[in-house]
């Protein structure tokens, strides 16, 4: 990193302090008149008897720009990425140290919960201490903030504080941090190292580092920079963004467009995309998978890693590099796959490593057949059709089903023969009114995936010898589909169901952008974005979301 | 930033100050408080003491003056009933039961909590350290073995769980001031936390533009930080109170490192006395109210040149002649002189009467490994235990420990192994 450009700005008094109030006239949130739009409701039946909106129902929603103001805690990933960007080190054990942080969950926007309990704050203090200790004597880190190799507490403090706090370090804080270099030891080295440690510790715990503060109708160039960095990089602004903010180069839409283009071209955007995919698809849960060696001799942690790697590759290739919509992946996945998946996908493994170009068999058409999903959505050594269906509905169609009813819906296995198929079991559900509503949406999808075992290998028969019938139907989200197998199902999703799939992807990206579930107003905004990005992938969606006033809400 | 910081970051500087240059701190409110709070220290010395030497004419000679001043309670005929509960070495068995009243458990570990740990939850709950200060120096039996079992541990958190002692006095000092542990907060951390709390306070102030619900989140965060900071404040106050000189004294040059690599310092005595200085300071400053001091491990083979240039402590305990028996006795007097030193140190801080020092060893005669009576002597604690001599007439060490705790206000139905507890206090101990 080179801070030469930033350095004179900071030292010449153009400190990006809290007082910065650059008007954000062109795209500032305005009192947009309420307008109405038709929003497709993902409403689903519940388990009770009260009539519920049926899938595909529509209702009129208000697309409003009146948004609540909320403080948002940065996610563990954001803190980790920010420290990586600030220090040049990617090894900070954020996940381990903050593993018990109750403010994080998995899906969809892992960090919506702001309730930090005392343990969590205590963990944060420990974490700050460990990072500060690590950097105390790290000359590589210190050189980043010592322009020209000159070791100066004043310059070091100025640069680190403004970078850590995104230009919001007050003059008082700078003086306070400088003082730690004066009173910290008997030798110059001792003073400097302890000053570094004290400064880093202090900065990491600062609310401006740990929280995203609401804009409060006072959107500034600085807050624009922070929000862009949070969304596109899952990190904090770099020097170029801060400089742009300091020089009022983030006030016009075209200025922002330029920055967004630059940011999307930065590897940090791909890192962020991978993080988003991991959250969206719960890919990290793969590492917890276990299979018996008797049933799956090919199972290994390395295989799980290969699945995760390959899934990220497929997603990256189509959604990110080609910038194509998600429905594209339903039709066909790239024919370049991880060589370690050879025993699963059924091609001959070569001596090559990494990705190899292969001709995939027809049963591998479409992303839903990816072994990562089959593996993730199995229990023990057996596939779980309910989990697979639920997951598909939730992650690719944004339909969340309620939990099964407490009474009346318990599946009574004893009423079926031991070699009963999944279809036989589902039949029991469908015959039970309290189960039928949801199972009518789930069963067809679950059954269509039955031909993939608990590691994703293709099969045509159950262990009992009975042939697997992968045909099914799906009615919901405005779709009424009959299909002969999952390939056919995906083909239909990529055509008549493309807008539903792509809208759902936009919803997920939007949730990632605002780090929360979408309320009606945001859902409305997401739909607007979806309309404008029907042919585009992740990057196109990101650019469009940034243009949406809803993205800039507090 | 506190002016004490420089001292904290240069701990070696303080050792010179500890070495006879301590200024009285009785003027401070904290010291005044420490002078009245009950405190407990266990002190171990290795290789036992033959019954014939367990008197003021022989091994306990160094304590005679203190005894005459009413600062010593000499205990005779304390029985260690646990020593036959396992087939292990008597050093191990006696060492495990000393201060615990428990038998060995699997892996030759102590079978229960030791006295310093038993009182800790109550006595240390409001101290910054929050736990006993556990210090020891040792080289090990036969020059380095048995370093991880009951041979060397004298403080036990619970059955099978030793509290690992600090061997380097510098680490003891750092622990006292919280520099070596993430759970402790030193001064710059406290200062940083103060600053962060102020920042959160601004966020949640009336003029802040945050919503009410957001303010409550910030407030919650701030309160958590305040709780963490509170312990830092304790340390800060203590650092000020314990800053026992007005200006820097001569710098302690350090003890030559032990070339065997087994000890932080070559000189047991020098290192041990520094530990004693620091423990006394910690007790007087209220950093902790219980501690464990251990000189050597069971079977310790250290050599004190002034006693013998070649015969180590443990080897002398297997005396086979009058000259070697005399050396064994000299080593006993050496150990009891360390008890005297510690008592004097406590007295210099005006906390001798409020501090119960229980000194003992694993068994009686080193030559025969005779287990009875187990040597115990009480120093200090005059606020709540008697002085003089008491023949406990074969009552168990369980009964002794229970009685001593009762004197300190800790009433327990049993201490250590239940079956060796007999009803009633030992007469003549509680004041």
């Amino acid at each position: 990193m080179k801070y030469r450009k930033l350095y004179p700005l900071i030292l010449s008094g153009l400190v990006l302090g809290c007082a910065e109030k650059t008007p954000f006239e062109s795209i500032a949130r305005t009192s947009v008149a309420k307008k109405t739009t038709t929003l497709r409701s993902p409403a689903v039946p519940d388990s009770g008897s009260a009539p519920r909106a049926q899938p595909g129902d529509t209702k009129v929603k208000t697309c409003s720009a009146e948004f609540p103001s909320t403080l948002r805690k940065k996610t563990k990933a954001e803190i980790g990425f920010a420290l990586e960007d600030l220090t040049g080190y990617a090894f900070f054990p954020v996940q381990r140290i903050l593993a018990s942080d109750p403010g994080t969950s998995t899906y969809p926007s892992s960090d919506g919960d702001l309730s930090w309990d005392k343990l969590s704050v205590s963990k944060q203090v420990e974490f700050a201490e460990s990072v500060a200790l690590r950097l105390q004597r790290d000359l590589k880190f210190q050189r980043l903030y010592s322009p020209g190799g000159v070791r100066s507490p004043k310059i070091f403090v100025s640069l680190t504080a403004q970078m850590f706090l995104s230009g919001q370090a007050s003059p008082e804080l700078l003086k306070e941090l400088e003082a730690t270099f004066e009173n910290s030891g008997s030798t110059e080295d001792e003073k400097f190292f302890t000053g570094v440690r004290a400064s880093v510790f202090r900065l990491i715990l600062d609310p401006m580092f740990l929280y995203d503060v609401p804009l409060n109708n006072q959107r500034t160039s600085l807050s624009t920079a922070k929000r862009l960095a949070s969304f596109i990089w899952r990190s904090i602004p770099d020097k170029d963004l801060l400089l742009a903010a300091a020089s009022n180069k983030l006030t016009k839409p075209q200025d922002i467009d330029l920055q967004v283009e630059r940011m999307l071209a930065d590897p940090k955007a791909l890192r962020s995309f991978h993080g988003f995919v991991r959250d969206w698809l719960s890919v990290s849960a793969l590492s917890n998978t276990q299979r018996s060696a008797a049933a799956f001799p090919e199972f290994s942690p390395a295989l799980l890693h290969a699945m995760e790697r390959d899934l990220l590759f497929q997603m990256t290739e189509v959604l990110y590099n080609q910038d194509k919509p998600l429905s594209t992946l339903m039709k066909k996945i790239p024919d370049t796959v991880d060589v370690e998946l050879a025993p699963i996908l059924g091609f001959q493994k070569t001596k090559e490593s990494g990705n190899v170009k292969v001709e995939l068999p027809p049963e591998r058409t479409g992303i839903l057949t990816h072994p990562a999903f089959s593996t993730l959505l199995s229990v023990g050594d057996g596939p779980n059709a309910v989990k697979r269906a639920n997951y598909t509905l939730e992650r690719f169609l944004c339909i969340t089903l309620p939990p099964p009813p407490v009474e009346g819906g318990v599946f009574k296995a004893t009423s079926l023969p031991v070699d009963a198929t999944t279809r036989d079991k589902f039949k029991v559900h469908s015959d039970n009114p309290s189960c039928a509503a949801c199972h009518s949406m789930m069963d067809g999808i679950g059954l269509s995936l039955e031909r993939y075992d608990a590691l994703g290998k293709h099969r045509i028969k159950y262990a009992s010898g009975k042939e697997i019938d992968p045909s099914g139907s799906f009615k919901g989200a405005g779709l009424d589909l009959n299909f002969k197998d999952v390939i056919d199902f995906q083909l239909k999703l990529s055509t008549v169901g493309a807008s539903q799939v792509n809208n759902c992807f936009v919803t997920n990206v939007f949730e990632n952008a605002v780090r929360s579930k979408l309320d009606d107003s945001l859902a409305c905004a997401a739909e607007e974005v979806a309309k404008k990005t029907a042919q585009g992938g992740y990057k196109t969606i990101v650019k469009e979301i940034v243009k949406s006033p809803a993205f800039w809400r507090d | 930033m506190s002016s004490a910081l420089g001292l904290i970051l240069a701990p070696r500087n303080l050792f010179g100050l500890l070495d006879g240059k301590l200024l009285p701190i009785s003027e401070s409110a904290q010291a005044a408080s420490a002078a009245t709070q009950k405190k407990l220290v266990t002190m171990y010395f290795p290789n036992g003491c033959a019954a014939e030497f367990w008197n003021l004419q022989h091994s306990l000679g160094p304590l005679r003056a203190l005894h005459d001043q009413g600062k010593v309670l000499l205990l005779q005929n304390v029985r260690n009933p646990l020593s036959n509960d396992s087939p292990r070495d008597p050093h191990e068995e006696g060492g495990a039961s000393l201060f615990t009243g428990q038998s060995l458990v699997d892996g030759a570990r102590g079978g229960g909590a030791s006295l310093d740990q038993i009182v800790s939850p109550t006595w240390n709950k409001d101290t910054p350290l929050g736990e006993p200060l556990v210090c020891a120096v040792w080289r090990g039996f036969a020059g380095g073995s048995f370093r991880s079992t009951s041979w060397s541990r004298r403080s036990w958190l619970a059955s099978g769980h030793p509290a690992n002692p600090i061997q380097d006095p510098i680490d003891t000092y750092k622990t006292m001031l919280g520099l070596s542990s993430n759970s402790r907060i030193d001064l710059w951390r406290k200062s940083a936390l103060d600053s962060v709390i102020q920042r959160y306070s601004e966020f949640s102030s009336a003029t802040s533009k945050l919503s009410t619900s957001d303010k409550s989140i910030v407030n919650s965060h701030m309160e958590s930080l305040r709780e963490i900071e509170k312990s830092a404040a304790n340390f800060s106050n203590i650092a000020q109170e314990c800053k026992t000189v007005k200006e820097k004294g001569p710098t302690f040059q350090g003890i030559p490192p032990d070339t065997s690599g087994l000890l932080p310092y070559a000189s047991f005595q020098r290192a041990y006395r520094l530990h004693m200085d620091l423990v006394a300071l910690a007790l007087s400053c209220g950093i902790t109210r219980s501690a464990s001091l251990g000189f050597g491990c069971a079977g310790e083979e250290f050599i004190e040149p002034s006693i013998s240039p070649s015969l180590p402590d443990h080897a002398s305990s297997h005396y086979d002649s009058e000259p070697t028996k005399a050396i064994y006795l000299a080593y006993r007097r050496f150990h009891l002189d360390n008890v005297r030193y510690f008592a004097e140190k406590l007295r210099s801080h005006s906390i001798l009467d409020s501090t119960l020092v229980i000194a003992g060893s694993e068994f009686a005669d080193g030559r025969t490994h005779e287990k009875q009576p187990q040597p115990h002597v009480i120093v200090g604690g005059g606020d709540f235990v008697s002085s003089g001599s008491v023949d406990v007439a074969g009552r168990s060490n369980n009964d002794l420990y229970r009685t001593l705790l009762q004197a300190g206000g800790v009433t327990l139905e049993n201490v250590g192994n239940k079956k060796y507890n007999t009803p009633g206090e030992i007469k003549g101990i509680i004041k």
Side-chain angles (χ1 to χ4, degrees):
Chain A
M1 278 190 283
K2 292 177 182 175
Y3 290 99
R4 285 194 184 129
K5 288 181 181 175
L6 190 59
Y7 171 58
L9 282 173
I10 291 171
L11 292 188
S12 64
L14 282 174
V15 175
L16 302 167
C18 298
E20 196 255 358
K21 296 278 191 287
T22 308
F24 195 85
E25 295 168 357
S26 8
I27 62 166
R29 192 178 64 228
T30 54
S31 299
V32 177
K34 290 184 178 178
K35 61 175 184 174
T36 56
T37 186
T38 302
L39 177 69
R40 179 172 297 107
S41 165
V44 293
D46 66 11
S47 54
S49 57
R52 292 285 308 270
Q54 291 304 304
D57 280 0
T58 58
K59 59 181 178 181
V60 175
K61 287 283 181 187
T62 303
C63 210
S64 165
E66 296 298 324
F67 300 115
S69 171
T70 51
L71 186 70
R72 189 181 70 79
K73 184 186 78 172
K74 281 185 184 155
T75 68
K76 284 190 286 190
E78 283 174 289
I79 291 170
F81 287 159
L83 286 171
E84 181 180 335
D85 297 340
L86 287 163
T87 67
Y89 289 112
F91 54 79
F92 287 112
V94 181
Q95 298 299 328
R96 181 175 61 79
I97 289 179
L98 299 181
S100 58
D101 185 343
T104 58
S105 57
T106 50
Y107 176 77
S109 41
S110 48
D111 319 278
D113 183 3
L114 286 166
S115 60
W116 281 1
D117 69 0
K118 289 171 185 172
L119 174 67
S120 185
V121 174
S122 161
K123 289 264 178 194
Q124 295 238 352
V125 173
E126 279 183 38
F127 174 68
E129 166 68 3
S130 71
V131 174
L133 185 63
R134 171 65 185 82
L135 296 174
Q136 179 178 13
R137 291 174 184 272
D138 190 296
L139 299 180
K140 181 182 156 195
F141 165 70
Q142 288 161 22
R143 274 196 293 269
L144 291 176
Y145 300 94
S146 303
V150 178
R151 196 168 77 173
S152 155
K154 186 180 180 69
I155 294 171
F156 180 85
V157 161
S158 297
L159 291 175
T160 49
Q162 299 302 2
M163 291 304 294
F164 271 70
L165 304 186
S166 301
Q168 292 171 295
S170 65
E172 292 77 20
L173 176 61
L174 298 182
K175 280 184 191 165
E176 181 189 313
L177 295 179
E178 276 183 47
T180 64
F181 287 77
E182 295 299 319
N183 305 318
S184 300
S186 50
T187 67
E188 286 307 308
D189 273 354
E190 202 174 355
K191 284 180 181 177
F192 194 81
F193 292 150
T194 306
V196 168
R197 184 174 170 185
S199 299
V200 171
F201 175 75
R202 168 65 182 82
L203 292 170
I204 289 177
L205 294 176
D206 195 282
M208 297 305 290
F209 184 75
L210 294 175
Y211 286 96
D212 270 352
V213 181
L215 303 179
N216 287 309
N217 293 319
Q218 294 196 19
R219 185 172 160 193
T220 64
S221 294
L222 195 54
S223 63
T224 299
K226 289 177 71 176
R227 188 151 291 194
L228 287 174
S230 171
F231 173 34
I232 300 175
W233 288 340
R234 289 190 169 200
S235 184
I236 55 177
D238 66 354
K239 65 174 174 53
D240 289 342
L241 261 181
L242 289 178
L243 285 167
S247 53
N248 277 345
K249 297 241 175 91
L250 276 178
T251 55
K252 298 175 186 168
Q254 55 267 38
D255 290 337
I256 294 182
D257 288 347
L258 278 175
Q259 284 295 339
V260 170
E261 286 288 349
R262 179 184 73 85
M263 293 172 75
L264 283 171
D266 191 297
K268 289 187 279 190
L270 180 58
R271 179 186 69 184
S272 173
F273 172 74
H274 285 164
F276 157 70
V277 172
R278 284 196 170 92
D279 278 354
W280 166 41
L281 299 174
S282 302
V283 182
S284 303
L286 260 179
S287 59
N288 300 326
T289 304
Q290 288 294 333
R291 296 285 181 268
S292 73
F296 296 100
E298 61 277 75
F299 175 81
S300 70
L303 181 65
L304 297 177
H305 287 311
M307 287 180 184
E308 179 177 348
R309 207 164 49 227
D310 189 70
L311 182 63
L312 283 176
F313 171 79
Q314 307 290 351
M315 292 288 176
T316 303
E317 190 59 24
V318 174
L319 301 175
Y320 193 88
N321 292 341
Q322 298 173 17
D323 199 23
K324 288 183 177 174
L326 178 61
S327 56
T328 311
L329 274 167
M330 297 288 173
K331 204 181 305 180
K332 189 176 185 310
I333 60 173
D335 53 6
T336 302
V337 296
D338 196 295
V339 71
E340 297 299 323
L341 297 182
I344 305 299
L345 300 181
F347 63 88
Q348 193 65 37
K349 188 174 178 181
T350 64
K351 288 182 179 175
E352 293 175 86
S353 61
N355 289 331
V356 291
K357 202 170 177 70
V358 295
E359 190 172 338
L360 290 169
E363 65 265 20
R364 296 295 171 186
T365 306
I367 196 70
L368 294 183
T369 68
H370 197 281
F373 295 134
S374 304
T375 305
L376 187 66
L377 303 166
S378 295
V379 176
D381 288 341
N384 188 307
V386 171
K387 284 182 77 170
R388 289 178 175 186
N390 254 330
Y391 181 92
T392 304
L393 288 169
E394 187 177 81
R395 311 300 164 99
F396 294 99
L397 289 165
C398 292
I399 295 174
T400 303
L401 298 177
V406 176
E407 293 180 4
V410 179
F411 174 64
K412 295 189 172 49
T414 52
S415 62
L416 291 170
V418 289
D419 62 347
T421 63
T422 304
R423 189 173 293 274
D424 297 333
K425 294 171 186 172
F426 278 178
K427 181 76 168 48
V428 177
H429 291 141
S430 302
D431 291 345
N432 184 333
S434 63
C435 304
C438 288
H439 273 274
S440 66
M441 298 182 75
M442 291 194 302
D443 290 2
I445 298 174
L447 291 168
S448 75
L449 292 161
E450 277 286 275
R451 285 196 165 182
Y452 301 87
D453 71 10
L455 269 192
K457 283 187 295 185
H458 191 251
R459 59 183 187 170
I460 57 172
K461 290 182 178 178
Y462 289 111
S464 64
K466 289 184 180 178
E467 189 153 339
I468 298 171
D469 175 5
S471 65
S473 62
F474 168 72
K475 190 173 183 180
L479 297 171
D480 189 355
L481 308 175
N482 291 294
F483 40 87
K484 61 181 182 182
D485 55 21
V486 72
I487 310 303
D488 192 26
F489 173 56
Q490 292 183 95
L491 190 61
K492 289 184 163 106
L493 282 182
S494 70
T495 52
V496 296
S499 67
Q500 283 86 340
V501 170
N502 295 335
N503 284 4
C504 181
F505 184 64
V506 171
T507 296
N508 278 288
V509 180
F510 216 118
E511 285 180 344
N512 177 54
V514 298
R515 303 283 195 270
S516 74
K517 289 275 192 184
L518 303 188
D519 56 22
D520 285 353
S521 296
L522 284 173
C524 185
E527 190 175 8
E528 294 285 308
V529 170
K531 281 179 191 168
K532 296 175 184 171
T533 59
Q535 301 304 314
Y538 177 80
K539 289 179 177 175
T540 299
I541 294 166
V542 166
K543 291 174 195 170
E544 203 57 46
I545 286 176
V546 168
K547 290 174 183 165
S548 168
F551 170 68
W552 300 99
R553 76 176 215 178
D554 277 343
Chain B
M1 191 59 65
S2 165
S3 59
L5 197 57
L7 283 177
I8 290 169
L9 292 169
R12 283 181 186 273
N13 290 342
L14 267 201
F15 290 126
L17 310 178
L18 290 166
D19 204 19
K21 292 188 171 60
L22 290 173
L23 296 183
I25 59 171
S26 56
E27 293 171 10
S28 74
Q30 193 136 10
S33 169
T36 58
Q37 294 274 5
K38 289 169 182 165
K39 297 168 284 292
L40 182 148
V41 180
T42 62
M43 288 188 79
Y44 166 76
F45 63 89
N47 303 322
C49 182
E52 63 179 293
F53 293 153
W54 192 246
N55 53 58
L56 293 169
Q57 289 72 44
H58 295 94
S59 298
L60 294 160
L63 296 176
R64 175 182 285 278
L66 282 167
H67 178 269
D68 294 346
Q69 294 159 15
K71 304 297 181 187
V72 172
L73 176 61
L74 177 55
L75 298 163
Q76 301 286 8
N77 292 317
V78 177
R79 186 171 60 95
N80 175 13
L82 306 154
S83 57
N84 293 320
D85 280 4
S86 80
R88 307 286 295 209
D89 187 287
H91 282 289
E92 286 181 300
E93 293 164 346
S97 72
L98 186 69
F99 309 136
T100 68
Q102 288 280 12
S103 310
L104 283 168
V105 292
D106 290 344
R109 291 169 178 269
S114 52
L115 295 173
D116 56 313
Q117 299 286 350
I118 289 173
V119 301
S120 187
T122 312
W123 292 10
N124 284 327
K125 67 181 177 186
D126 59 345
T127 65
L129 191 59
E131 59 193 34
L133 192 52
V134 179
C135 309
V137 290
W138 71 71
R139 186 188 301 274
F141 177 80
S145 57
F146 310 114
R147 300 180 75 220
S148 60
T149 67
S150 63
W151 287 80
S152 54
R153 269 53 168 180
R154 297 292 165 255
S155 180
W156 295 87
L157 297 159
S159 177
H161 295 281
N164 289 326
I166 305 168
Q167 293 195 70
D168 189 331
I170 286 179
D171 290 336
T172 300
Y173 175 75
K174 287 179 178 176
T175 297
M176 285 167 58
L177 291 181
L179 291 179
S180 66
S181 165
N182 274 344
S183 66
R184 308 294 170 212
I185 299 171
D186 48 46
L187 291 183
W188 64 256
R189 291 185 82 208
K190 179 199 173 301
S191 174
L193 284 174
D194 281 342
S195 165
V196 170
I197 289 168
Q198 176 62 31
R199 191 81 167 110
Y200 277 94
S201 175
E202 290 163 12
F203 262 52
S204 63
S205 68
T207 55
S208 161
K209 291 177 179 174
L210 291 183
S211 67
T212 307
S213 60
D214 285 346
K215 282 181 182 175
S216 81
I217 292 166
V218 172
N219 275 329
S220 169
H221 193 132
M222 186 169 63
E223 286 309 313
S224 300
L225 284 170
R226 280 205 171 116
E227 283 197 14
I228 296 167
E229 191 265 355
K230 211 185 283 178
S231 65
N234 282 342
F235 267 106
S236 172
N237 292 337
I238 283 160
Q240 293 296 335
E241 294 294 341
C242 290
K243 197 173 67 164
T244 53
V245 290
K246 301 299 180 191
E247 55 189 34
K248 290 185 181 181
T251 300
F252 172 61
Q253 295 302 318
I255 301 171
D258 176 47
T259 52
S260 71
L262 297 173
L263 267 183
Y265 298 115
S267 168
F268 267 53
Q269 180 71 336
R270 178 67 171 147
Y272 194 53
R273 290 206 165 179
L274 281 170
H275 278 304
M276 289 192 282
D277 292 348
L278 289 163
V279 168
L281 186 61
L283 294 169
S284 73
C285 295
I287 289 174
T288 184
R289 297 196 187 101
S290 69
S292 166
L293 284 162
F295 188 101
C297 74
E300 183 60 62
E301 294 284 21
F302 93 103
I303 291 176
E304 171 53 45
S306 63
I307 296 174
S308 170
S310 58
L311 192 64
D313 187 341
H314 175 252
S316 77
S317 75
H318 290 274
Y319 54 89
D320 55 3
S321 66
E322 285 304 318
T324 49
K325 186 176 182 181
I327 291 173
Y328 176 55
L329 172 60
Y331 273 117
R332 303 311 96 207
R333 290 176 64 91
F334 169 87
H335 293 308
L336 272 302
D337 189 55
N338 275 333
V339 177
R340 177 205 59 76
Y341 176 88
F342 185 56
E344 295 292 359
K345 195 58 74 175
L346 294 176
R347 182 146 66 180
S348 76
H349 289 299
S350 306
I351 57 170
L352 179 59
D353 287 338
S354 60
T355 307
L356 183 73
V357 181
I358 309 167
S361 191
E362 63 262 40
F363 49 45
D365 194 340
R367 184 173 65 90
T368 61
H369 285 190
E370 172 58 42
K371 295 151 190 164
Q372 317 298 353
Q374 191 173 31
H376 284 88
V377 63
I378 310 299
V379 179
D383 289 348
F384 45 104
V385 296
S386 304
S387 60
S389 295
V390 171
D391 185 342
V392 307
R395 294 283 294 271
S396 66
N397 57 15
N398 305 75
D399 291 342
L400 171 64
Y401 300 152
R402 195 184 67 246
T403 301
L404 290 170
L405 291 179
Q406 188 182 335
V410 181
T411 303
L412 298 172
E413 194 173 342
N414 297 292
V415 172
N417 194 321
K418 185 181 175 182
K419 70 179 178 180
Y420 300 124
N421 281 263
T422 54
E425 66 182 65
I426 297 176
K427 302 297 180 193
I429 291 180
I430 301 177
K431 200 165 192 175

